[in-house]
Amino acid sequence: VLLGRVRPEPKGRAVPAHVRKALLRGLHRSPAERYPFMDALLADLRRDPARQLRRGAVAAGVLGVALVASAATTLAVSRRGSLCAGGEGELGDAWSRERGQAVAAAFQATRVAYAGPSLARVDAALSGYRSAWLAEYKAACEATHVRRVQSAARLDERMACLRQRARELSALTDVLTRADAAIVERSVGAVERLPPVRLCAEERGVFKARPPSPSPAAKAHLEAAGQALAEARSHELTGKVKEGLALAPRAVIEARAGEDLEREAHALLARGQFEEELGESATAAATLREAWRQGGRAGSDAVVATARSRLVWMLGERQGHYDAALELAPLGEAAIERLENPDEARLGFESVLAMIRMRQDRSEDALAHTERALALARRTLAPGDTRLADAWNTHGNVLRTLKRTEEARAA
């Protein structure tokens, strides 16, 4: 039945044409082609002119069709569901008991006082991330293969996104297994800044703008680009900026060789951020603008929004070009608003604008931005998230500047 190969009726037995037609429809390999409900099946069977003479036989046929169709459907769903049980294998040891033990040993070896509490928070956050990844993998797979509400192309996008999230998780935990005191200090914030796996379902999957059927050589380049980008980001998250910058150009080169615009845009964005953090402002500005252009060509609102936001921050906070930064700000806001899930990006952007206004001694304007940032942080972040504490701290600093001491203490 599942292969669409239904045996012919036994020789010497005449099956009425309308009954045979109904049976074949009930046994169709595609659930969508079967009768949607029993009344439809009965209506077809009742069209027999001699139905009164064969009522008993028809009733038996109905029962048989229903039982076979039900069994076939159950078997098909079960087999399709088994296709979605491979998440553990796909994720591998990105975060496993063995890797957790290696991270614990590295943290303890630093002998810093906060190693224990940091390890507990890191372990809880990474275990939650792993569970969320596995749940998203299953949901993405079942949407296509079980519930049949999603195209195969969209499944490919979501899986590409999940594979990159797995690379980033693995790269970060690998760095944590070699933790020194500085990495332990940054570890909680690094884990919190891993891209949420839910974005693979809510937004366009990353790395979408690739050839429909890349050659084996192109696939190898894309895998290498994704791995280099994941490792670069792991260094960014843990404060190893020079190490990250050393990897980012390789990600750009591999993405270009694989003819993947969106992956190239992400790699350029990472490279520009590293250059900016190392004080290479002119080079960083050029790289971020190239990331902006390539992100636009690839249709990646996320890259465009991040590149524009980073340029605003660099112009205003790093270089003191406040008017130029504020002139660019509306473009950053417009890109953020195009995101399907804009709140976290908007939170960071409001904080950037608050800092620029503080530098201009426009504290009232800065307060409006910190109030919006704080509202977004409280709505989108978990209570223990370090970014929530940062939002409160910035808000309190603005209040102190305005001599609103009691409110600043409360913040």
Side-chain angles (χ1 to χ4, degrees):
V1 173
L2 293 176
L3 295 176
R5 301 170 185 169
V6 180
R7 289 181 295 178
E9 66 271 19
K11 291 182 179 180
R13 296 194 179 182
V15 179
H18 77 286
V19 173
R20 175 176 171 75
K21 183 178 179 181
L23 287 169
L24 290 176
R25 181 178 177 186
L27 294 171
H28 200 285
R29 64 184 298 184
S30 171
E33 297 297 327
R34 298 177 198 146
Y35 288 98
F37 41 82
M38 190 60 70
D39 285 348
L41 170 60
L42 291 173
D44 276 358
L45 290 171
R46 289 192 188 107
R47 290 194 179 97
D48 181 11
R51 64 182 180 279
Q52 297 299 326
L53 298 177
R54 299 192 301 272
R55 184 172 296 170
V58 169
V62 170
L63 178 60
V65 170
L67 290 174
V68 173
S70 176
T73 300
T74 301
L75 179 60
V77 170
S78 175
R79 289 183 176 177
R80 291 195 299 268
S82 68
L83 296 173
C84 303
E88 294 275 357
E90 287 281 344
L91 188 57
D93 66 347
W95 183 243
S96 61
R97 178 180 299 178
E98 292 75 15
R99 185 157 290 200
Q101 291 170 346
V103 170
F107 275 46
Q108 291 163 5
T110 64
R111 299 184 180 279
V112 296
Y114 46 84
S118 296
L119 177 63
R121 292 182 65 181
V122 164
D123 180 66
L126 290 176
S127 296
Y129 195 92
R130 179 179 184 276
S131 296
W133 192 98
L134 292 172
E136 173 57 24
Y137 178 95
K138 184 178 180 182
C141 180
E142 290 185 345
T144 295
H145 293 300
V146 178
R147 295 187 289 118
R148 298 182 181 274
V149 296
Q150 174 181 262
S151 69
R154 178 56 182 147
L155 174 63
D156 287 345
E157 292 173 15
R158 292 174 71 176
M159 288 302 180
C161 179
L162 285 169
R163 281 192 291 272
Q164 187 61 20
R165 296 290 87 84
R167 290 189 193 102
E168 291 163 351
L169 173 62
S170 182
L172 176 58
T173 58
D174 186 58
V175 170
L176 295 179
T177 64
R178 305 188 301 275
D180 55 19
I183 289 177
V184 171
E185 183 178 357
R186 291 174 172 266
S187 60
V188 175
V191 172
E192 290 174 348
R193 290 172 58 203
L194 279 169
V197 294
R198 59 176 167 74
L199 297 183
C200 294
E202 293 180 5
E203 298 181 356
R204 292 179 50 193
V206 294
F207 310 153
K208 181 180 180 182
R210 57 188 183 279
S213 300
S215 66
K219 286 181 180 179
H221 285 301
L222 298 183
E223 288 292 325
Q227 186 60 37
L229 186 55
E231 293 176 10
R233 283 176 170 165
S234 72
H235 289 305
E236 176 201 2
L237 293 174
T238 52
K240 305 292 185 180
V241 181
K242 289 183 179 179
E243 291 86 341
L245 181 56
L247 288 164
R250 191 177 87 205
V252 175
I253 291 169
E254 295 287 359
R256 284 174 177 165
E259 299 181 348
D260 188 324
L261 281 176
E262 190 164 6
R263 198 180 300 253
E264 179 186 343
H266 278 274
L268 286 166
L269 179 62
R271 179 177 171 178
Q273 289 172 324
F274 287 128
E275 291 167 344
E276 180 270 316
E277 288 182 28
L278 288 172
E280 301 174 11
S281 298
T283 304
T287 304
L288 289 172
R289 289 184 183 278
E290 188 178 1
W292 171 355
R293 288 193 298 271
Q294 293 297 77
R297 290 178 62 198
S300 175
D301 292 333
V303 170
V304 173
T306 306
R308 289 177 180 176
S309 298
R310 196 76 180 197
L311 280 166
V312 169
W313 185 85
M314 188 177 70
L315 286 168
E317 181 67 11
R318 289 282 196 183
Q319 300 178 1
H321 301 321
Y322 306 128
D323 291 339
L326 294 173
E327 186 175 333
L328 182 60
L331 292 177
E333 292 171 340
I336 289 170
E337 290 305 315
R338 287 197 298 271
L339 298 175
E340 291 184 37
N341 185 41
D343 282 355
E344 289 190 31
R346 192 183 293 122
L347 162 60
F349 198 65
E350 289 289 350
S351 299
V352 167
L353 294 177
M355 287 188 289
I356 291 173
R357 291 304 192 185
M358 285 288 287
R359 296 286 188 272
Q360 291 181 305
D361 293 325
R362 295 178 60 174
S363 299
E364 289 291 349
D365 291 334
L367 182 63
H369 289 299
T370 62
E371 287 174 342
R372 286 195 287 270
L374 187 57
L376 287 164
R378 296 176 72 178
R379 185 168 73 236
T380 60
L381 303 178
D385 196 304
T386 57
R387 290 169 294 177
L388 179 58
D390 290 341
W392 276 112
N393 185 56
T394 303
H395 185 59
N397 288 337
V398 174
L399 288 171
R400 276 189 287 273
T401 301
L402 292 169
K403 310 298 184 185
R404 293 163 60 169
T405 309
E406 293 302 319
E407 293 176 76
R409 288 174 180 169

